[in-house]
Amino acid sequence: MSKERRDFCIECRKETEYTLQKKDIIKNIKDKDYNFSITVAVCTECGEEMSVPGLMDKNIREIDEQYREAEGLISIDDIERFMKIYNIGKGPLSLAIGFGEVTIPRYLEGQVPSKEYSDIIKSAISSPEYMKKKLIENRERITDTAYRKAYNAAVSMERLFSVSDNMLRVIAYIFKKLEEVTPLMLQKLLYFTQGVYLALYRKPIFVEDCRAWVHGPVYPEVYELFRDFKYNPIDDARFALLSGMEDTLKANEKKVIELVVNTFGIYSGKALEKITHNESPWKEARIGYGESIPSNELLSKDQIMNYYIQTNNKYGIDTEDGLRRYIHDMLNNIF
């Protein structure tokens, strides 16, 4: 049940219900006009704006966020993610990237950074190589423990960029759409995404090659990224770097990922593994191998494409209904 919104309206001179609406305003900051969209409370009886508790603070946050976006400045949330990614406190982080010790703490309290300092922070977030360079330059300013933890985190971050940009975009979109994803589940969703995309558009959505491992199709580079999570849901601070990266996916790429996530994505990793074990590309690649014998046979993009073209001809996998029928049949071993 939604919470009733009521407060005192000075126009009606009584307590009334109100609704929250968006209002566009123009505000001058440093001799420059900006258009902001803020939240206002509107009385349902007289239609006038009302002053309600907490709304002024919300408006300040809204203006701050929109101003930073308009000027290309780092957000407070991004700075907090920065600290988490590199496993370092706000004071040591400030020193590590060449600032004064209280600079990052002030930014976290709401002070707006200059464009120069904002760009340095953005560069350190987006480039582990740049962060390592900054750490080395400012080695003597921080403790051995802080340096070692941040440097090791930067090395780990570099592994994230061992895969193609579009692979990262696809992973980022899968993570955005699903609350929990295990490494096994992620591998299978990537495989199905590639298969459906190949069938519908006759070209790959990412360049990485797939291998036939014991537990189904696997992208080895992605396996290395998340092997530490084993069978647990992936909770990786490094993916803060990918926030918004999915926005650069093409419309047809997003469409395919959504098709896969909305159908295959409701099943566990083990159920998805069972589906791939009933598909001819994996079965043919595993010919001659015992059930638990490791293999690293290539599942070529042509093999995957041809199989999913046939699947599309039979089920119509360009729709969720078609994919659901396919999944149902595969789980019941009657393909």
Side-chain angles (χ1 to χ4, degrees):
M1 181 177 286
S2 61
K3 182 180 178 182
E4 184 181 29
R5 294 192 174 101
R6 297 183 66 86
D7 212 300
F8 188 80
C9 175
I10 59 174
E11 295 295 329
C12 296
R13 307 303 301 170
K14 64 178 181 179
E15 188 177 89
T16 63
E17 293 184 5
Y18 66 86
T19 60
L20 295 178
Q21 301 177 18
K22 286 295 184 181
K23 176 184 177 181
D24 292 332
I25 64 169
I26 297 176
K27 189 175 179 65
N28 187 279
I29 301 176
K30 296 180 180 178
D31 297 323
K32 182 178 177 181
D33 287 338
Y34 294 86
N35 293 308
F36 297 115
S37 177
I38 63 171
T39 304
V40 295
V42 178
C43 175
T44 57
E45 293 192 19
C46 70
E48 295 296 320
E49 290 184 24
M50 295 168 55
S51 176
V52 301
L55 200 53
M56 184 176 294
D57 288 340
K58 180 177 177 63
N59 292 160
I60 290 172
R61 290 195 302 273
E62 290 172 332
I63 290 172
D64 178 74
E65 290 170 2
Q66 292 172 52
Y67 172 73
R68 289 172 187 257
E69 184 176 354
E71 291 296 312
L73 301 176
I74 196 81
S75 71
I76 292 174
D77 287 345
D78 284 337
I79 295 174
E80 289 175 342
R81 281 194 288 266
F82 186 21
M83 293 165 55
K84 186 176 180 182
I85 289 168
Y86 287 104
N87 197 20
I88 190 171
K90 51 191 175 183
L93 175 59
S94 199
L95 294 171
I97 56 178
F99 300 166
E101 189 170 8
V102 298
T103 304
I104 292 293
R106 284 175 178 167
Y107 292 163
L108 291 171
E109 291 171 0
Q111 180 178 317
V112 178
S114 67
K115 186 70 166 63
E116 178 187 0
Y117 274 31
S118 176
D119 287 346
I120 290 173
I121 299 171
K122 284 185 175 183
S123 295
I125 291 177
S126 62
S127 170
E129 183 178 355
Y130 181 83
M131 183 61 180
K132 284 168 62 177
K133 176 185 173 184
K134 282 293 182 182
L135 283 165
I136 293 169
E137 286 177 358
N138 298 288
R139 173 70 183 85
E140 302 303 320
R141 303 184 71 197
I142 59 177
T143 65
D144 289 342
T145 300
Y147 175 83
R148 186 170 58 254
K149 288 166 65 176
Y151 192 88
N152 289 341
V155 172
S156 175
M157 283 294 306
E158 287 181 315
R159 290 166 48 196
L160 184 61
F161 294 91
S162 64
V163 300
S164 67
D165 286 348
N166 232 42
M167 172 68 90
L168 290 176
R169 293 184 186 107
V170 173
I171 293 173
Y173 202 41
I174 289 172
F175 272 67
K176 182 177 181 178
K177 291 292 182 180
L178 295 174
E179 290 185 6
E180 286 192 353
V181 183
T182 64
L184 179 64
M185 184 180 182
L186 177 62
Q187 288 285 354
K188 304 308 171 270
L189 293 177
L190 290 172
Y191 169 76
F192 294 132
T193 297
Q194 183 76 294
V196 174
Y197 195 85
L198 283 166
L200 300 185
Y201 300 104
R202 304 300 198 271
K203 59 183 180 180
I205 192 169
F206 44 72
V207 299
E208 282 75 11
D209 282 321
C210 194
R211 301 285 172 171
W213 287 14
V214 170
H215 295 290
V218 168
Y219 293 92
E221 301 93 338
V222 177
Y223 172 81
E224 289 299 326
L225 289 179
F226 303 111
R227 64 185 305 167
D228 292 343
F229 292 93
K230 299 180 180 178
Y231 291 100
N232 300 311
I234 298 169
D235 181 15
D236 198 329
R238 293 174 300 171
F239 268 83
L241 288 186
L242 306 184
S243 179
M245 197 173 184
E246 70 279 359
D247 294 341
T248 58
L249 286 166
K250 299 173 183 175
N252 55 0
E253 293 172 337
K254 283 189 174 182
K255 172 190 172 183
V256 169
I257 298 168
E258 289 166 4
L259 280 172
V260 169
V261 165
N262 293 340
T263 53
F264 291 100
I266 67 174
Y267 294 92
S268 68
K270 294 304 292 183
L272 299 179
E273 177 183 317
K274 181 179 179 182
I275 293 173
T276 63
H277 282 197
N278 286 324
E279 294 182 338
S280 61
W282 182 85
K283 288 196 296 184
E284 291 172 3
R286 289 282 298 172
I287 291 174
Y289 291 92
E291 185 175 338
S292 59
I293 302 299
S295 67
N296 197 40
E297 300 293 336
L298 174 69
L299 289 177
S300 74
K301 295 181 182 69
D302 284 343
Q303 284 177 290
I304 298 170
M305 181 173 67
N306 292 335
Y307 174 80
Y308 275 94
I309 287 174
Q310 294 175 19
T311 302
N312 186 40
N313 291 338
K314 180 172 183 178
Y315 290 92
I317 60 173
D318 58 335
T319 67
E320 289 185 18
D321 286 342
L323 277 173
R324 290 191 186 99
R325 288 193 299 271
Y326 171 69
I327 292 168
H328 177 270
D329 284 359
M330 295 304 286
L331 289 174
N332 287 278
N333 297 315
I334 54 171
F335 183 66

